[in-house]
Amino acid sequence: MSSPSREQWGSRAGFLFAAIGSAIGLGNIWRFPAVAYENGGGAFLLPYLVALLTAGIPLLVLEYSIGHKYRKSPPAAFRKLSGPAEVIGWWQVAICFVVAAYYAVIIAWAVRYVGYSFGEQWGGDANAFFFGDFLQAAETPGVMSSYVDGVLWPLIAVWVVVLVILALGIRNGIEKASKFFIPLLVLFFGVLVVRALTLDGAAEGLDGLFRPDWSALGDGSVWVAAYGQIFFSLSIGFGIMITYASYLKKRSDVTGTAMVAGFANSAFEILAGIGVFATLGFMAAAQGVGVNEVASSGIGLAFVAFPTVISQMPMGALFGVLFFTSLVLAGLTSLISIVQVVIAAVQDRTGMRRVPAVLGVGGAIALVSILVFPTDSGIYLLDAADHFINQYGIVLAALASLVLVGWLLRRLPAFQEHANGISTMRVGRWWLVCLGIVTPLVLGWMMVDSLRAEFAENYEGYSTEFLLWAGWGVAAGALLVGVVLGLVPWRSADSGLTAEASAEAGAKAGPGSATEPGTTTGTKAGAGTGSGSAAPEGGKN
């Protein structure tokens, strides 16, 4: 039973647009094409689809069910599952704080590059312009020594837009912004893809992406890469979907919504792959080299390879504006969802109203972002923090939550029952097997594989000293913050004991009391110290 003052989405479509907006981020555009290309091309789509059906959508259903059942942010929802589990919720909140701080900076770069596209101001050497003239990056990672005005001001503008949207609330802010940004993103990127397909060499680029290497399916690392891409592209592990689902109305089709959101996200990724590799095919043809020599991903693809292509193609300025505006739109919808997790957690814990929470909590994230990242060492700090918080924050938090919910507390059947009770499409035993066995084992293997590579050589060749504080330190710090906040007593006698728990207590007291449909009562329901059953969420970028 939700609190009377808790906000709600205006419609299912509003929630769906927001969920899709959270899932579709920068990684869809610059990560998926490269991952597919490096892992079997067209053949990669098979493990990718398997990963979507056995991990992505099941995790979305679980997270939607948790948020919908408890009407709470991750810390409060986990607390209702088991007192100590609250640590996982705060861990996710701390992760969101870190990710939001650096994610906004990339959006600020894209904002600036929208303007640069008109005159193709990066000149003949996009790489030197980006790292030298634009970012003014120091030669080696280390302590910040100067601020970069060209990054600082667009970053401030990004945070103003994000905080204003969040201050307007769920229905009037996030929902309306998502309904505007997502169709606009699809329109802009659709036009960009059509333009890319008309370029000379586009066919060779698409052949490079989609030509299947069926032998790759026998390589276990390809399957791990597929699960990793699904995991990181669906905003799993941040607590985002738990938070967003907590604003759903009482009767909401969580399973159907998860299916639509999951397939919409994957459809956009494939669209992005077509646009990116058609463009890279043109670049390869113009330079007289193979597609494999120009294929890239991440920041290098967006801010070095694409500007190089833009300078070589007819109507390059228009192409550049469309591409970088698409990055801005995709980034904004994701950033809004990430910051909302932190705001919701503080609201649930303190009872603070939305505007003060946005100004206080959102303002704190913005302040850290503005103080740390628009500097000469910002690119290095961003790179290290992103790598370690993803690999050893998001993935580990998701693994811990699944082990807790599925193995230790055995609460998956309760969430299956809740989802089936409110959805038109029921989940069966396959859902329990996927979340109880397949996904935890894959996440565990991802951790082992990542650690093995980590200890073989330093990430990106950075010094051990730098990685200890900018990489490992950031990931460990998020966990420490989660533990500390999870152990601090709530302000009231038991703020986690909501109306639902009170109803359960009334049911035990005697007849005449009622519980929320789908809620299990009695001592068997509370496997831990919580009053019911809940579970965690499972990534972005």
PDB file of all heavy atoms in Angstrom, residues 1 24 27 45 58 85 87-88 105 112 119 122 147 228 251 267 272 279 314 317 329 395 427 460 466 469 495:
ATOM      1  N   MET A   1       0.862  -1.192   0.000  1.00  0.00           N
ATOM      2  CA  MET A   1       0.000   0.000   0.000  1.00  0.00           C
ATOM      3  C   MET A   1       0.897   1.241   0.000  1.00  0.00           C
ATOM      4  O   MET A   1       1.794   1.360   0.816  1.00  0.00           O
ATOM      5  CB  MET A   1      -0.884   0.009   1.238  1.00  0.00           C
ATOM      6  CG  MET A   1      -1.875   1.153   1.265  1.00  0.00           C
ATOM      7  SD  MET A   1      -2.881   1.053   2.746  1.00  0.00           S
ATOM      8  CE  MET A   1      -3.681  -0.515   2.499  1.00  0.00           C
ATOM      9  N   ILE A  24      18.138   3.491 -22.702  1.00  0.00           N
ATOM     10  CA  ILE A  24      18.847   3.981 -23.884  1.00  0.00           C
ATOM     11  C   ILE A  24      19.762   5.118 -23.461  1.00  0.00           C
ATOM     12  O   ILE A  24      19.318   6.220 -23.158  1.00  0.00           O
ATOM     13  CB  ILE A  24      17.865   4.462 -24.964  1.00  0.00           C
ATOM     14  CG1 ILE A  24      17.041   3.293 -25.497  1.00  0.00           C
ATOM     15  CG2 ILE A  24      18.629   5.128 -26.111  1.00  0.00           C
ATOM     16  CD1 ILE A  24      16.005   3.682 -26.525  1.00  0.00           C
ATOM     17  N   GLY A  27      25.919   4.278 -23.940  1.00  0.00           N
ATOM     18  CA  GLY A  27      26.472   2.958 -24.231  1.00  0.00           C
ATOM     19  C   GLY A  27      25.777   2.259 -25.384  1.00  0.00           C
ATOM     20  O   GLY A  27      26.398   1.463 -26.098  1.00  0.00           O
ATOM     21  N   LEU A  45      24.333 -11.832 -32.460  1.00  0.00           N
ATOM     22  CA  LEU A  45      22.930 -11.554 -32.161  1.00  0.00           C
ATOM     23  C   LEU A  45      22.236 -12.733 -31.490  1.00  0.00           C
ATOM     24  O   LEU A  45      21.256 -12.547 -30.760  1.00  0.00           O
ATOM     25  CB  LEU A  45      22.184 -11.165 -33.439  1.00  0.00           C
ATOM     26  CG  LEU A  45      22.646  -9.860 -34.102  1.00  0.00           C
ATOM     27  CD1 LEU A  45      21.855  -9.593 -35.369  1.00  0.00           C
ATOM     28  CD2 LEU A  45      22.526  -8.692 -33.130  1.00  0.00           C
ATOM     29  N   PRO A  58      14.109 -10.943 -17.414  1.00  0.00           N
ATOM     30  CA  PRO A  58      13.822 -11.442 -16.059  1.00  0.00           C
ATOM     31  C   PRO A  58      14.247 -10.473 -14.963  1.00  0.00           C
ATOM     32  O   PRO A  58      13.532 -10.284 -13.975  1.00  0.00           O
ATOM     33  CB  PRO A  58      14.627 -12.746 -15.995  1.00  0.00           C
ATOM     34  CG  PRO A  58      14.659 -13.227 -17.401  1.00  0.00           C
ATOM     35  CD  PRO A  58      14.807 -11.972 -18.226  1.00  0.00           C
ATOM     36  N   ALA A  85      19.944  -6.130   4.573  1.00  0.00           N
ATOM     37  CA  ALA A  85      19.924  -5.967   3.116  1.00  0.00           C
ATOM     38  C   ALA A  85      19.838  -4.505   2.712  1.00  0.00           C
ATOM     39  O   ALA A  85      20.103  -4.160   1.555  1.00  0.00           O
ATOM     40  CB  ALA A  85      18.749  -6.742   2.531  1.00  0.00           C
ATOM     41  N   VAL A  87      21.838  -2.328   3.260  1.00  0.00           N
ATOM     42  CA  VAL A  87      23.180  -1.937   2.816  1.00  0.00           C
ATOM     43  C   VAL A  87      23.275  -1.989   1.288  1.00  0.00           C
ATOM     44  O   VAL A  87      23.871  -1.108   0.660  1.00  0.00           O
ATOM     45  CB  VAL A  87      24.249  -2.848   3.455  1.00  0.00           C
ATOM     46  CG1 VAL A  87      25.607  -2.650   2.785  1.00  0.00           C
ATOM     47  CG2 VAL A  87      24.352  -2.579   4.952  1.00  0.00           C
ATOM     48  N   ILE A  88      22.681  -3.019   0.681  1.00  0.00           N
ATOM     49  CA  ILE A  88      22.740  -3.148  -0.779  1.00  0.00           C
ATOM     50  C   ILE A  88      22.049  -1.955  -1.447  1.00  0.00           C
ATOM     51  O   ILE A  88      22.533  -1.414  -2.445  1.00  0.00           O
ATOM     52  CB  ILE A  88      22.093  -4.472  -1.237  1.00  0.00           C
ATOM     53  CG1 ILE A  88      22.884  -5.663  -0.691  1.00  0.00           C
ATOM     54  CG2 ILE A  88      22.012  -4.534  -2.757  1.00  0.00           C
ATOM     55  CD1 ILE A  88      22.274  -7.010  -1.024  1.00  0.00           C
ATOM     56  N   VAL A 105      29.323  14.941 -17.411  1.00  0.00           N
ATOM     57  CA  VAL A 105      30.426  15.585 -18.121  1.00  0.00           C
ATOM     58  C   VAL A 105      30.441  15.168 -19.592  1.00  0.00           C
ATOM     59  O   VAL A 105      30.694  15.984 -20.478  1.00  0.00           O
ATOM     60  CB  VAL A 105      31.768  15.231 -17.464  1.00  0.00           C
ATOM     61  CG1 VAL A 105      32.913  15.967 -18.151  1.00  0.00           C
ATOM     62  CG2 VAL A 105      31.745  15.598 -15.984  1.00  0.00           C
ATOM     63  N   ARG A 112      28.719  20.698 -26.345  1.00  0.00           N
ATOM     64  CA  ARG A 112      29.709  21.580 -26.988  1.00  0.00           C
ATOM     65  C   ARG A 112      29.958  21.164 -28.436  1.00  0.00           C
ATOM     66  O   ARG A 112      30.147  22.005 -29.317  1.00  0.00           O
ATOM     67  CB  ARG A 112      31.001  21.543 -26.186  1.00  0.00           C
ATOM     68  CG  ARG A 112      31.966  22.667 -26.519  1.00  0.00           C
ATOM     69  CD  ARG A 112      31.423  24.010 -26.049  1.00  0.00           C
ATOM     70  NE  ARG A 112      32.224  25.116 -26.561  1.00  0.00           N
ATOM     71  CZ  ARG A 112      33.346  25.559 -26.000  1.00  0.00           C
ATOM     72  NH1 ARG A 112      33.780  24.990 -24.881  1.00  0.00           N
ATOM     73  NH2 ARG A 112      34.001  26.566 -26.514  1.00  0.00           N
ATOM     74  N   GLY A 119      30.726  24.419 -37.781  1.00  0.00           N
ATOM     75  CA  GLY A 119      31.905  24.865 -38.508  1.00  0.00           C
ATOM     76  C   GLY A 119      32.984  23.811 -38.596  1.00  0.00           C
ATOM     77  O   GLY A 119      34.093  24.091 -39.067  1.00  0.00           O
ATOM     78  N   TRP A 122      36.903  21.134 -35.238  1.00  0.00           N
ATOM     79  CA  TRP A 122      37.998  20.261 -34.814  1.00  0.00           C
ATOM     80  C   TRP A 122      39.105  20.197 -35.854  1.00  0.00           C
ATOM     81  O   TRP A 122      40.166  19.643 -35.605  1.00  0.00           O
ATOM     82  CB  TRP A 122      37.467  18.861 -34.524  1.00  0.00           C
ATOM     83  CG  TRP A 122      36.503  18.374 -35.566  1.00  0.00           C
ATOM     84  CD1 TRP A 122      36.774  17.893 -36.795  1.00  0.00           C
ATOM     85  CD2 TRP A 122      35.081  18.372 -35.442  1.00  0.00           C
ATOM     86  NE1 TRP A 122      35.631  17.583 -37.472  1.00  0.00           N
ATOM     87  CE2 TRP A 122      34.564  17.864 -36.660  1.00  0.00           C
ATOM     88  CE3 TRP A 122      34.178  18.743 -34.437  1.00  0.00           C
ATOM     89  CZ2 TRP A 122      33.188  17.714 -36.897  1.00  0.00           C
ATOM     90  CZ3 TRP A 122      32.817  18.614 -34.675  1.00  0.00           C
ATOM     91  CH2 TRP A 122      32.342  18.106 -35.893  1.00  0.00           C
ATOM     92  N   TYR A 147      41.271  24.376 -14.443  1.00  0.00           N
ATOM     93  CA  TYR A 147      39.910  24.147 -14.918  1.00  0.00           C
ATOM     94  C   TYR A 147      39.816  24.482 -16.405  1.00  0.00           C
ATOM     95  O   TYR A 147      40.558  25.327 -16.914  1.00  0.00           O
ATOM     96  CB  TYR A 147      38.910  24.990 -14.138  1.00  0.00           C
ATOM     97  CG  TYR A 147      38.500  24.360 -12.839  1.00  0.00           C
ATOM     98  CD1 TYR A 147      39.227  24.596 -11.675  1.00  0.00           C
ATOM     99  CD2 TYR A 147      37.409  23.503 -12.770  1.00  0.00           C
ATOM    100  CE1 TYR A 147      38.867  23.997 -10.474  1.00  0.00           C
ATOM    101  CE2 TYR A 147      37.044  22.900 -11.577  1.00  0.00           C
ATOM    102  CZ  TYR A 147      37.787  23.151 -10.443  1.00  0.00           C
ATOM    103  OH  TYR A 147      37.435  22.540  -9.267  1.00  0.00           O
ATOM    104  N   GLY A 228      27.045  -9.278 -20.666  1.00  0.00           N
ATOM    105  CA  GLY A 228      27.543  -8.005 -20.168  1.00  0.00           C
ATOM    106  C   GLY A 228      26.892  -6.829 -20.859  1.00  0.00           C
ATOM    107  O   GLY A 228      26.530  -5.837 -20.223  1.00  0.00           O
ATOM    108  N   ARG A 251      -2.432  -1.171 -10.011  1.00  0.00           N
ATOM    109  CA  ARG A 251      -2.611  -2.189 -11.042  1.00  0.00           C
ATOM    110  C   ARG A 251      -1.738  -1.829 -12.236  1.00  0.00           C
ATOM    111  O   ARG A 251      -2.059  -0.941 -13.008  1.00  0.00           O
ATOM    112  CB  ARG A 251      -4.076  -2.300 -11.467  1.00  0.00           C
ATOM    113  CG  ARG A 251      -5.033  -2.686 -10.353  1.00  0.00           C
ATOM    114  CD  ARG A 251      -4.726  -4.047  -9.753  1.00  0.00           C
ATOM    115  NE  ARG A 251      -4.758  -5.129 -10.742  1.00  0.00           N
ATOM    116  CZ  ARG A 251      -4.505  -6.392 -10.443  1.00  0.00           C
ATOM    117  NH1 ARG A 251      -4.157  -6.733  -9.210  1.00  0.00           N
ATOM    118  NH2 ARG A 251      -4.575  -7.306 -11.388  1.00  0.00           N
ATOM    119  N   ALA A 267      16.237  -2.925 -29.855  1.00  0.00           N
ATOM    120  CA  ALA A 267      15.979  -2.420 -31.203  1.00  0.00           C
ATOM    121  C   ALA A 267      16.792  -1.158 -31.475  1.00  0.00           C
ATOM    122  O   ALA A 267      17.361  -0.981 -32.562  1.00  0.00           O
ATOM    123  CB  ALA A 267      14.485  -2.142 -31.381  1.00  0.00           C
ATOM    124  N   ALA A 272      21.485   1.655 -33.760  1.00  0.00           N
ATOM    125  CA  ALA A 272      22.746   2.361 -33.547  1.00  0.00           C
ATOM    126  C   ALA A 272      23.891   1.653 -34.256  1.00  0.00           C
ATOM    127  O   ALA A 272      24.762   2.292 -34.859  1.00  0.00           O
ATOM    128  CB  ALA A 272      23.044   2.471 -32.053  1.00  0.00           C
ATOM    129  N   THR A 279      28.554   4.441 -41.187  1.00  0.00           N
ATOM    130  CA  THR A 279      29.434   5.611 -41.172  1.00  0.00           C
ATOM    131  C   THR A 279      30.900   5.199 -41.193  1.00  0.00           C
ATOM    132  O   THR A 279      31.724   5.793 -41.905  1.00  0.00           O
ATOM    133  CB  THR A 279      29.145   6.464 -39.920  1.00  0.00           C
ATOM    134  OG1 THR A 279      27.748   6.773 -39.873  1.00  0.00           O
ATOM    135  CG2 THR A 279      29.946   7.755 -39.959  1.00  0.00           C
ATOM    136  N   PRO A 314      29.720  14.803 -47.430  1.00  0.00           N
ATOM    137  CA  PRO A 314      28.853  15.904 -47.840  1.00  0.00           C
ATOM    138  C   PRO A 314      27.806  16.166 -46.750  1.00  0.00           C
ATOM    139  O   PRO A 314      27.341  15.232 -46.103  1.00  0.00           O
ATOM    140  CB  PRO A 314      28.185  15.365 -49.117  1.00  0.00           C
ATOM    141  CG  PRO A 314      29.068  14.255 -49.586  1.00  0.00           C
ATOM    142  CD  PRO A 314      29.655  13.652 -48.349  1.00  0.00           C
ATOM    143  N   ALA A 317      28.040  18.887 -41.552  1.00  0.00           N
ATOM    144  CA  ALA A 317      27.584  19.681 -40.411  1.00  0.00           C
ATOM    145  C   ALA A 317      26.243  19.187 -39.895  1.00  0.00           C
ATOM    146  O   ALA A 317      26.037  19.033 -38.684  1.00  0.00           O
ATOM    147  CB  ALA A 317      27.498  21.149 -40.799  1.00  0.00           C
ATOM    148  N   LEU A 329      20.464  13.884 -25.967  1.00  0.00           N
ATOM    149  CA  LEU A 329      19.132  13.408 -25.572  1.00  0.00           C
ATOM    150  C   LEU A 329      19.213  12.062 -24.855  1.00  0.00           C
ATOM    151  O   LEU A 329      18.566  11.856 -23.822  1.00  0.00           O
ATOM    152  CB  LEU A 329      18.238  13.294 -26.803  1.00  0.00           C
ATOM    153  CG  LEU A 329      17.885  14.613 -27.513  1.00  0.00           C
ATOM    154  CD1 LEU A 329      17.133  14.331 -28.808  1.00  0.00           C
ATOM    155  CD2 LEU A 329      17.062  15.508 -26.599  1.00  0.00           C
ATOM    156  N   VAL A 395      28.134  -4.425 -11.077  1.00  0.00           N
ATOM    157  CA  VAL A 395      28.044  -5.878 -11.260  1.00  0.00           C
ATOM    158  C   VAL A 395      28.029  -6.599  -9.917  1.00  0.00           C
ATOM    159  O   VAL A 395      27.219  -7.502  -9.676  1.00  0.00           O
ATOM    160  CB  VAL A 395      29.214  -6.389 -12.126  1.00  0.00           C
ATOM    161  CG1 VAL A 395      29.202  -7.917 -12.183  1.00  0.00           C
ATOM    162  CG2 VAL A 395      29.124  -5.823 -13.532  1.00  0.00           C
ATOM    163  N   VAL A 427       4.931 -15.097 -15.604  1.00  0.00           N
ATOM    164  CA  VAL A 427       6.265 -15.685 -15.675  1.00  0.00           C
ATOM    165  C   VAL A 427       6.225 -17.038 -14.972  1.00  0.00           C
ATOM    166  O   VAL A 427       5.596 -17.188 -13.920  1.00  0.00           O
ATOM    167  CB  VAL A 427       7.331 -14.768 -15.033  1.00  0.00           C
ATOM    168  CG1 VAL A 427       7.494 -13.503 -15.841  1.00  0.00           C
ATOM    169  CG2 VAL A 427       6.989 -14.428 -13.587  1.00  0.00           C
ATOM    170  N   GLU A 460      44.430   0.323 -18.755  1.00  0.00           N
ATOM    171  CA  GLU A 460      44.897   1.377 -19.651  1.00  0.00           C
ATOM    172  C   GLU A 460      46.342   1.793 -19.393  1.00  0.00           C
ATOM    173  O   GLU A 460      46.766   2.877 -19.800  1.00  0.00           O
ATOM    174  CB  GLU A 460      43.994   2.623 -19.558  1.00  0.00           C
ATOM    175  CG  GLU A 460      42.594   2.412 -20.111  1.00  0.00           C
ATOM    176  CD  GLU A 460      42.604   2.160 -21.612  1.00  0.00           C
ATOM    177  OE1 GLU A 460      43.483   2.699 -22.297  1.00  0.00           O
ATOM    178  OE2 GLU A 460      41.729   1.402 -22.098  1.00  0.00           O
ATOM    179  N   PHE A 466      47.697   5.689  -9.086  1.00  0.00           N
ATOM    180  CA  PHE A 466      46.518   6.395  -9.591  1.00  0.00           C
ATOM    181  C   PHE A 466      45.281   5.506  -9.513  1.00  0.00           C
ATOM    182  O   PHE A 466      44.211   5.951  -9.083  1.00  0.00           O
ATOM    183  CB  PHE A 466      46.766   6.840 -11.031  1.00  0.00           C
ATOM    184  CG  PHE A 466      45.571   7.467 -11.683  1.00  0.00           C
ATOM    185  CD1 PHE A 466      45.142   8.736 -11.318  1.00  0.00           C
ATOM    186  CD2 PHE A 466      44.855   6.788 -12.670  1.00  0.00           C
ATOM    187  CE1 PHE A 466      44.034   9.316 -11.920  1.00  0.00           C
ATOM    188  CE2 PHE A 466      43.751   7.357 -13.277  1.00  0.00           C
ATOM    189  CZ  PHE A 466      43.335   8.631 -12.902  1.00  0.00           C
ATOM    190  N   TRP A 469      43.515   5.053  -5.966  1.00  0.00           N
ATOM    191  CA  TRP A 469      42.586   6.057  -5.416  1.00  0.00           C
ATOM    192  C   TRP A 469      41.496   6.471  -6.399  1.00  0.00           C
ATOM    193  O   TRP A 469      40.381   6.758  -5.996  1.00  0.00           O
ATOM    194  CB  TRP A 469      43.347   7.285  -4.907  1.00  0.00           C
ATOM    195  CG  TRP A 469      44.044   8.124  -5.936  1.00  0.00           C
ATOM    196  CD1 TRP A 469      45.324   7.994  -6.380  1.00  0.00           C
ATOM    197  CD2 TRP A 469      43.501   9.253  -6.640  1.00  0.00           C
ATOM    198  NE1 TRP A 469      45.630   8.957  -7.321  1.00  0.00           N
ATOM    199  CE2 TRP A 469      44.534   9.751  -7.498  1.00  0.00           C
ATOM    200  CE3 TRP A 469      42.269   9.884  -6.649  1.00  0.00           C
ATOM    201  CZ2 TRP A 469      44.342  10.843  -8.344  1.00  0.00           C
ATOM    202  CZ3 TRP A 469      42.073  10.983  -7.492  1.00  0.00           C
ATOM    203  CH2 TRP A 469      43.109  11.442  -8.313  1.00  0.00           C
ATOM    204  N   SER A 495      11.252   3.579  10.320  1.00  0.00           N
ATOM    205  CA  SER A 495      10.700   4.209   9.126  1.00  0.00           C
ATOM    206  C   SER A 495      10.418   3.203   8.037  1.00  0.00           C
ATOM    207  O   SER A 495       9.657   3.454   7.128  1.00  0.00           O
ATOM    208  CB  SER A 495      11.677   5.271   8.596  1.00  0.00           C
ATOM    209  OG  SER A 495      11.858   6.279   9.560  1.00  0.00           O
TER     210      SER A 495
END
